[in-house]
Amino acid sequence: LVTLDEQEHILVVTIHHIASDGWSLSIIVQELVELYNSYSEKRPLELSLLQLQYADYAIWQRNYLQGELLDNKIRYWKEKLQGVAALHLPTDYLRPAVQSTKGAILGFHINGDLLKGLEILSHREGVSLFMTLLATFKVLLYGYSNQQDICVGTQVANRTQQELEGLVGFLRNTIAFRTNVIGDVQFVEPLNTVKVATLEELATTDL
């Protein structure tokens, strides 16, 4: 707790990803706010009791992912990702001889009118906004690389049961979404392809 003056402080919290994921942050903030308000207002805490703890989830996952079920899930992903090729995108510089882990983050904002249009399109086609943006990204990659087989990895919260939604912990997983993008077609075609693949692959997020 950093004291700026008598009435102003900054609380700095450092949490390793092994203890929580992005979904957990909002839960932690909400509970800290409730703890602070309860203390300052001298009233009882109003925090809901959890049906499960992270240890319960970890034990369940260990017992669940074994035997034939685990073999089937591993077989699915081996078949799904067999023969995946790297995208050959145009770059300003040659790729280094030794691959590194250096990366960057590019942030941008979507204006309200464009967002509303995307939401209308998503609702009309019966897809989520995530599916629409993923399909758009894949079409963009196709345009740059001229490769049809495109695999994109993204993170999922992996809270597939309602009982897990209020849980603080590292439940996040990374899923590879692989589909073929065909040029010179209406956008709804790659969008529907992405929809089918996304629903199928999200069913395996627990591996």
Side-chain angles (χ1 to χ4, degrees):
L1 184 65
V2 181
T3 302
L4 301 181
D5 57 46
E6 186 177 348
Q7 296 296 325
E8 188 174 4
H9 302 77
I10 297 177
L11 177 64
V12 180
V13 181
T14 302
I15 305 175
H16 195 283
H17 257 313
I18 200 172
S20 68
D21 53 18
W23 180 289
S24 303
L25 292 180
S26 61
I27 302 173
I28 294 171
V29 170
Q30 290 172 10
E31 293 194 354
L32 283 174
V33 169
E34 171 56 23
L35 287 164
Y36 179 82
N37 290 337
S38 171
Y39 175 79
S40 61
E41 297 169 8
K42 296 181 175 55
R43 61 170 174 77
L45 278 173
E46 296 179 1
L47 294 177
S48 58
L49 295 177
L50 293 176
Q51 300 179 29
L52 298 173
Q53 296 293 334
Y54 186 77
D56 301 318
Y57 169 78
I59 293 172
W60 167 82
Q61 187 182 52
R62 182 178 300 173
N63 294 331
Y64 172 70
L65 290 175
Q66 58 181 326
E68 184 179 357
L69 176 68
L70 178 60
D71 293 339
N72 290 337
K73 288 180 178 290
I74 292 176
R75 187 181 306 110
Y76 168 82
W77 281 112
K78 283 183 176 180
E79 294 174 356
K80 184 72 177 181
L81 300 178
Q82 184 177 9
V84 171
L87 285 178
H88 299 288
L89 298 171
T91 59
D92 294 328
Y93 304 97
L94 294 176
R95 292 181 181 271
V98 179
Q99 184 177 353
S100 74
T101 57
K102 292 181 179 180
I105 297 176
L106 175 63
F108 63 92
H109 295 278
I110 297 177
N111 66 54
D113 291 338
L114 177 57
L115 177 59
K116 184 176 181 180
L118 290 170
E119 290 174 336
I120 291 173
L121 171 64
S122 302
H123 180 73
R124 188 184 70 205
E125 298 300 325
V127 302
S128 67
L129 183 59
F130 168 79
M131 295 175 185
T132 301
L133 294 175
L134 179 60
T136 303
F137 185 49
K138 289 198 170 196
V139 170
L140 176 66
L141 292 176
Y142 165 77
Y144 280 132
S145 67
N146 201 32
Q147 294 174 244
Q148 294 184 342
D149 184 4
I150 297 178
C151 187
V152 173
T154 188
Q155 297 173 355
V156 292
N158 207 23
R159 284 164 166 80
T160 53
Q161 288 84 27
Q162 185 176 2
E163 293 80 5
L164 302 177
E165 292 180 358
L167 197 62
V168 172
F170 188 87
L171 284 76
R172 188 187 69 186
N173 202 356
T174 300
I175 294 295
F177 294 101
R178 184 183 186 185
T179 55
N180 285 325
V181 179
I182 303 174
D184 300 325
V185 296
Q186 295 292 322
F187 178 69
V188 292
E189 292 191 33
L191 179 57
N192 287 328
T193 301
V194 166
K195 173 185 177 180
V196 173
T198 301
L199 292 175
E200 177 185 292
E201 293 170 12
L202 284 177
T204 62
T205 58
D206 49 14
L207 181 59

